[in-house]
Amino acid sequence: MTTAIDSVELTRVGPGTVMGQLMREYWIPALMCSELARGAAPLRLMLLGEKLIAFRDSAGRVGVMDHRCPHRGASLFLGRNEEGGIRCIYHGWKFDVSGKCLDMPNVPSHQDFKQKVKAKAYPAVERAGMVWVYMGSRANAPLLPAFEILDVPDGEVGVLLIQRDCNYLQALEGDIDTSHFGFLHAGHIDPDDLREDDPIHHTVAIRAPEYHIADTAWGTTYAGYRTAGPGRTSWRFGNFLFPFWTQVPNGELSHHLQVRGWVPLDDEHTMYCVLWWKRGVSAMTQQAPALKDGAPVGGMGRRNDFLPNTTDWLGRWRLAANASNDWGMNRAAQHDNVIYSGIDSIHLQDQAVTESMGAILDHTLEHLAPSDQMITRTRRRLLMAARALRDKGVPPPGVEDVEVFRDARGGYFVSDDKSEWQDAYAKQLALASRPPSTTLRAIE
Ligand code: FES
Ligand SMILES: [Fe+2]
């Protein structure tokens, strides 16, 4: 059971909160590199409840800083992106990407104190098509997490951002709540209409799977398992990785390199950030799902229709289907069981149910079931790590030991292996495709 105190501590992410402090220990993916053009207008960026700006200076360097000018607080969003830095339009003070004050032109030169002034800037790096920001207090930022996907050359990484209008926790938990798949996404599918080798055949044939769950060095892991014919088992492995990442079994484990971030913009808004290996997407996963007679499976649309981005704090990567239009609900499709939910696209179905809970779910209302053990365990793991940091200064998992993330992967496989579940996973991973640079590193 999640108490009221647990619920508050888990969901609040602003400066000084328990979970906010935990998250500030890690690098955070903030925006796509392509969102910032050299010398172009700055962007408003909300992250962990802080109002920031992001810009790319004339030399191509990325700056991420508090939007308030350290002089008298005018917003640097209005600033002029000039040679080597951003200049406040109020009195002309100018700052480089590290926050250093370069110019104080409204003060006589003998009274100039620009060397004593610093804008609050956060370290930023670019990797895998994303700008990553470190908002913590360490003098030396930690390394980036050793996700396999970050070993892949940047050009081979696919990136997608979608804003979700709810707290990060309920959004994230959709990814580790595997029993919803057979209902929300596939409740209308008759297993007899699918080919035996279809990846979702076992999921819809047995809609109440059994689970194994464990804490891991990177966070938590689960395996949903079902019998898949004589002597064979269908396995679906998924992970939670500190502090807000998941890996889901929507691809074959052998080459499914993917991480999904649920980045809190503030307590009530989250940016879904998925990174995947384009070469690792199998032909089967790429094709639109079809029944064995070739007819398309309802509700599996893949299009994301976006509203135009605005300059608002929360104006980036919003879907056109949202709470204001009931996420495009089609009651006829729901009634006729063409689409169980009545909502097209797997992502939108997840978006609808998690946003429909309200901005921040009151977790004391829940009645968690045995099928929710992964959720319960993940909340406990997050809370214990956050409280250990607050009370004893214990660095949370994966901050000083980034390599713990390297062996985390989500995916499915069918096997006649009779090993223990985590041994079966390790054996599959040992046989799996690894990105080129990981292979090189292993050889060195
Ligand atoms: S408020 Fe920015 S220069 Fe004065
Ligand atoms: Fe889902």
Side-chain angles (χ1 to χ4, degrees):
M1 180 185 147
T2 299
T3 66
I5 291 173
D6 291 349
S7 183
V8 168
E9 291 195 349
L10 277 164
T11 53
R12 289 359 185 234
V13 296
T17 60
V18 187
M19 203 52 64
Q21 291 306 101
L22 176 97
M23 294 199 175
R24 283 167 174 76
E25 291 285 301
Y26 299 85
W27 284 96
I28 298 171
L31 65 166
M32 286 188 259
C33 303
S34 58
E35 292 184 72
L36 298 176
R38 189 184 286 229
L43 204 90
R44 286 198 180 96
L45 177 68
M46 182 79 88
L47 219 49
L48 302 184
E50 296 186 35
K51 289 180 172 170
L52 311 172
I53 58 153
F55 67 100
R56 191 182 293 280
D57 74 5
S58 53
R61 297 173 305 175
V62 172
V64 175
M65 57 181 70
D66 189 324
H67 85 110
R68 292 164 301 182
C69 173
H71 176 214
R72 295 197 50 241
S75 181
L76 289 167
F77 168 73
L78 303 173
R80 302 160 56 95
N81 191 354
E82 297 184 353
E83 180 74 29
I86 190 149
R87 191 183 292 280
C88 179
I89 62 169
Y90 203 177
H91 312 90
W93 293 18
K94 181 176 174 184
F95 305 92
D96 73 7
V97 293
S98 72
K100 188 172 155 205
C101 184
L102 303 172
D103 197 11
M104 201 175 264
N106 69 326
V107 176
S109 54
H110 65 280
Q111 293 173 334
D112 186 311
F113 62 108
K114 62 174 177 281
Q115 62 290 344
K116 295 208 178 117
V117 176
K118 203 151 189 299
K120 186 178 176 189
Y122 293 125
V125 297
E126 296 185 76
R127 186 78 173 274
M130 293 295 300
V131 174
W132 302 67
V133 180
Y134 175 67
M135 297 171 71
S137 55
R138 289 169 185 254
N140 296 313
L143 300 173
L144 284 171
F147 297 146
E148 280 184 290
I149 190 66
L150 295 186
D151 285 330
V152 170
D154 282 6
E156 294 182 20
V157 182
V159 180
L160 176 69
L161 299 182
I162 301 178
Q163 186 174 308
R164 187 167 293 188
D165 294 341
C166 68
N167 185 257
Y168 83 95
L169 187 71
Q170 65 209 55
L172 180 157
E173 288 175 349
D175 276 358
I176 54 173
D177 170 358
T178 192
S179 77
H180 80 265
F181 189 91
F183 299 89
L184 178 68
H185 304 309
H188 52 289
I189 302 173
D190 183 336
D192 292 341
D193 291 340
L194 292 171
R195 289 189 325 271
E196 279 284 324
D197 64 345
D198 192 289
I200 60 173
H201 182 275
H202 305 299
T203 321
V204 294
I206 301 173
R207 293 183 204 263
E210 293 191 85
Y211 301 94
H212 296 297
I213 291 165
D215 288 353
T216 54
W218 61 72
T220 52
T221 191
Y222 76 82
Y225 61 97
R226 302 157 163 93
T227 55
R232 291 173 69 74
T233 305
S234 156
W235 292 100
R236 292 170 61 85
F237 279 80
N239 297 306
F240 157 75
L241 305 91
F242 275 95
F244 47 54
W245 300 91
T246 63
Q247 293 172 318
V248 298
N250 63 348
E252 292 164 57
L253 189 99
S254 57
H255 44 276
H256 188 50
L257 273 61
Q258 183 201 57
V259 285
R260 297 156 62 97
W262 298 95
V263 180
L265 302 182
D266 60 17
D267 291 346
E268 301 186 351
H269 300 87
T270 301
M271 190 64 83
Y272 167 60
C273 164
V274 57
L275 307 176
W276 73 94
W277 189 25
K278 293 183 203 163
R279 278 207 283 152
V281 177
S282 67
M284 187 180 273
T285 318
Q286 261 172 334
Q287 283 161 9
L291 304 177
K292 61 185 173 198
D293 65 3
V297 178
M300 301 278 168
R302 303 237 169 129
R303 269 184 52 171
N304 294 304
D305 291 323
F306 289 94
L307 296 172
N309 280 358
T310 72
T311 58
D312 191 81
W313 297 111
L314 300 166
R316 298 164 47 243
W317 311 118
R318 298 157 307 149
L319 292 181
N322 54 48
S324 73
N325 48 34
D326 293 330
W327 300 273
M329 165 66 74
N330 179 338
R331 291 288 181 188
Q334 186 187 63
H335 176 267
D336 298 343
N337 212 29
V338 175
I339 303 175
Y340 183 83
S341 64
I343 294 169
D344 195 15
S345 134
I346 288 191
H347 184 88
L348 194 54
Q349 291 155 6
D350 288 322
Q351 185 114 336
V353 292
T354 52
E355 289 183 346
S356 75
M357 296 170 182
I360 310 177
L361 176 64
D362 175 359
H363 294 96
T364 61
L365 291 176
E366 295 173 317
H367 294 83
L368 295 177
S371 55
D372 299 312
Q373 288 169 67
M374 178 66 175
I375 287 172
T376 314
R377 185 176 287 239
T378 298
R379 287 182 192 171
R380 194 170 68 223
R381 187 103 167 89
L382 263 170
L383 272 177
M384 286 177 69
R387 289 171 180 162
L389 173 67
R390 176 192 64 188
D391 299 338
K392 299 186 194 136
V394 179
V399 171
E400 295 182 352
D401 47 350
V402 296
E403 288 293 322
V404 297
F405 295 115
R406 194 174 295 285
D407 284 333
R409 202 185 275 199
Y412 57 76
F413 60 92
V414 176
S415 164
D416 54 12
D417 193 343
K418 295 286 176 285
S419 309
E420 282 295 307
W421 65 289
Q422 286 174 302
D423 294 338
Y425 170 85
K427 282 194 217 168
Q428 289 285 324
L429 194 62
L431 297 170
S433 306
R434 292 283 195 161
S437 56
T438 312
T439 312
L440 286 175
R441 198 169 296 175
I443 292 167
E444 281 165 6

